[in-house]
Amino acid sequence: MSLFRIWKRTLTAEHTVVEGVRIDENEQCVIVSVRPDARRRQRCGICRRPAPWYDTGRGRRRWRDLDHGVMRVFLEAAAPRVACREHGTTVAAVPWARHGAGHTHAFDAQTAWMAAECSKSAAAQLMRTSWRTIGAIVERYVADRDRLVDRLSGLRRIGIDEISHRKGQKYMTVVVDHDTAKVVWMADGHGKDVLHRFFNALGKRRTAKLTHISADGALWIAEVLADRAASTVRVMDPFHVVAWATDALDVERRASWNRARRQAADPDTARALKDSRFALWKNQADLTDRQAAKLTWIAATDPRLHRAWRLKEALRAVFTLAKTRPTAALSALDRWIGWARRCRIDSFVDLQRRIRRHRQAIRAALTTGMSNGLIESTNTKTRLIIRRGFGFHTADAIIALAMLTLAGDRPTLPGRQPATE
């Protein structure tokens, strides 16, 4: 096998002819002279359709390829221009790189894989490029991967949530598809205006095809959904409903501690109530012996606080029951609302009013079994991306990496098949 054929195989560039190889001693790199084969010449760099020759352009140019050993490798070729009927005068396409890029397909693919698997600083050091170039390659790779994919097409059941990406109340809005378990839309900011942007991109026709939308109890989400997707079933996330009950219980615990502290008859009682929050917050099945003993002491010492704990556990039991008996869970929810209305504990009286306001969304959660668990998992992975990158200056960089890893097929290393489950 000739030297040129060996280099052609190692470059992983199809439809490419190797004309020569030399070492540039000044820059300490390998220069491989190449050209497209006859079937790929004189094509528009944008649409890749055949086009008539225009001129020689600015002469020969180089594209960065994967390193060979410790040596950097550049592909060098002529860059003539063609006259495309649709796009006018443009640089001719080359089979080894994207239009307008200074790196080969193989270099982009390996860099995208590195960015998805490790920090951008480590990827930049290994690939011998800059942090900014890593970000540009990620955006280019995602755009090329999703060029013929409409992620908002065929949506039926989606989840909406927000995630904080840095200090100072900086949020991003995330939309996931429950059926494919993939992110379909992300944007910087949160609130009505941002969510309206999503529905503007989705359009009225595709919005009408939505059947279920899961979300937490944020008022801005509920108002936008009532305006833009009134016929869609809104599903309340069960975790947030139980979290409301936990917050109401904690309000009553602090009130009980303050009552005991003001009485000052027994300072140890007030101190014990203050230290009881973990026993009260925890699920009953997960209590340790010491925490169970603490609850027994609370039942004898402060029946009102113990009743608040029973209300919290009863609401959690409603969602547990829904996993096997949805109809029974609906009846249990109605009974819980009646109990909370008569309990004479202010925080739980307020909670039952809140639950009644979101009653239809909560009933949908009980009957459909949907939750925001998928989108919370997405948020956890996004936070891992942020932590792995030691923070990002802009939300756009986070969105690019999140879409790279969570919105479609993850990048694979050049010349290797994607891993199978």
Side-chain angles (χ1 to χ4, degrees):
M1 183 179 292
S2 67
L3 177 63
F4 290 170
R5 291 180 65 85
I6 293 175
W7 271 98
K8 178 178 172 58
R9 294 288 297 272
T10 59
L11 291 176
T12 66
E14 297 181 353
H15 308 291
T16 303
V17 178
V18 177
E19 297 178 325
V21 181
R22 71 180 189 276
I23 295 179
D24 189 325
E25 296 292 350
N26 294 327
E27 298 186 14
Q28 288 296 304
C29 62
V30 176
I31 307 298
V32 183
S33 297
V34 295
R35 60 176 170 82
D37 62 18
R39 291 178 295 176
R40 293 299 185 275
R41 294 178 187 174
Q42 291 188 203
R43 292 177 177 266
C44 173
I46 300 175
C47 64
R48 295 191 176 263
R49 296 191 183 100
W53 184 86
Y54 183 78
D55 62 14
T56 58
R58 297 184 178 180
R60 298 179 69 82
R61 59 170 293 190
R62 293 179 180 180
W63 291 263
R64 175 77 184 278
D65 194 33
L66 294 175
D67 294 350
H68 283 217
V70 297
M71 298 286 286
R72 291 179 301 157
V73 176
F74 290 88
L75 303 189
E76 185 180 78
R81 295 192 297 176
V82 296
C84 179
R85 291 182 179 180
E86 181 179 354
H87 301 102
T89 304
T90 181
V91 178
V94 294
W96 54 81
R98 296 173 176 87
H99 180 67
H103 306 87
T104 65
H105 289 296
F107 190 93
D108 282 359
Q110 181 157 316
T111 302
W113 184 89
M114 290 289 298
E117 299 296 334
C118 61
S119 68
K120 286 174 68 175
S121 57
Q125 184 174 2
L126 179 64
M127 303 305 294
R128 292 198 275 196
T129 186
S130 66
W131 176 288
R132 188 183 299 274
T133 301
I134 296 290
I137 289 175
V138 168
E139 294 178 6
R140 188 164 63 232
Y141 183 91
V142 172
D144 189 63
R145 183 193 65 185
D146 300 343
R147 181 167 50 90
L148 301 177
V149 177
D150 183 2
R151 301 212 169 276
L152 302 183
S153 177
L155 296 180
R156 296 295 181 269
R157 304 187 307 151
I158 63 174
I160 301 172
D161 201 4
E162 60 187 12
I163 176 176
S164 174
H165 65 88
R166 65 184 302 178
K167 295 181 180 179
Q169 303 296 315
K170 302 296 183 181
Y171 290 93
M172 297 187 304
T173 301
V174 185
V175 180
V176 300
D177 184 356
H178 280 284
D179 297 319
T180 62
K182 293 180 179 179
V183 177
V184 295
W185 193 83
M186 292 185 74
D188 187 14
H190 74 299
K192 294 182 182 179
D193 293 340
V194 177
L195 195 53
H196 276 300
R197 283 167 47 198
F198 165 72
F199 282 104
N200 290 338
L202 188 62
K204 293 183 179 180
R205 182 178 58 84
R206 292 187 292 193
T207 299
K209 295 181 180 180
L210 295 176
T211 60
H212 297 80
I213 299 177
S214 67
D216 56 22
L219 184 61
W220 61 274
I221 295 179
E223 291 179 352
V224 173
L225 295 185
D227 180 31
R228 303 296 296 269
S231 61
T232 304
V233 177
R234 183 168 69 94
V235 181
M236 178 66 67
D237 180 40
F239 173 82
H240 286 84
V241 180
V242 176
W244 294 346
T246 303
D247 292 340
L249 173 61
D250 204 47
V251 170
E252 179 58 29
R253 180 190 64 82
R254 291 195 298 269
S256 297
W257 169 54
N258 287 326
R259 287 195 300 269
R261 193 160 53 93
R262 285 194 299 268
Q263 293 172 1
D266 186 3
D268 293 337
T269 300
R271 190 178 301 109
L273 286 172
K274 180 180 179 181
D275 296 336
S276 65
R277 59 184 181 275
F278 293 112
L280 293 169
W281 289 348
K282 208 169 185 180
N283 296 338
Q284 186 174 7
D286 300 328
L287 292 172
T288 64
D289 293 341
R290 184 175 179 179
Q291 291 168 341
K294 175 75 75 172
L295 281 177
T296 302
W297 175 83
I298 291 174
T301 305
D302 194 333
R304 179 185 174 96
L305 179 58
H306 189 262
R307 187 165 69 252
W309 173 80
R310 288 170 54 206
L311 281 163
K312 186 266 291 185
E313 283 296 304
L315 183 60
R316 191 178 64 83
V318 169
F319 290 98
T320 302
L321 179 62
K323 297 177 181 178
T324 55
R325 300 171 58 195
T327 304
L330 295 175
S331 301
L333 177 64
D334 294 336
R335 291 194 300 271
W336 186 93
I337 291 174
W339 181 19
R341 186 186 301 120
R342 302 186 304 271
C343 70
R344 293 178 293 177
I345 301 175
D346 293 342
S347 60
F348 278 90
V349 173
D350 293 339
L351 175 60
Q352 63 87 22
R353 293 195 188 102
R354 190 177 187 181
I355 288 178
R356 284 164 57 194
R357 287 197 300 269
H358 297 279
R359 192 171 195 161
Q360 293 302 319
I362 295 174
R363 290 174 69 89
L366 296 176
T367 56
T368 63
M370 287 181 60
S371 71
N372 256 19
L374 173 62
I375 198 167
E376 293 295 340
S377 172
T378 299
N379 290 344
T380 299
K381 295 173 183 176
T382 303
R383 292 188 186 95
L384 178 60
I385 290 173
I386 297 171
R387 176 65 187 88
R388 194 172 60 201
F390 297 97
F392 293 86
H393 294 293
T394 65
D396 293 338
I398 302 172
I399 292 173
L401 277 176
M403 297 302 286
L404 174 69
T405 57
L406 305 176
D409 296 333
R410 295 173 67 90
T412 57
L413 290 171
R416 306 185 194 183
Q417 296 295 326
T420 57
E421 297 292 339

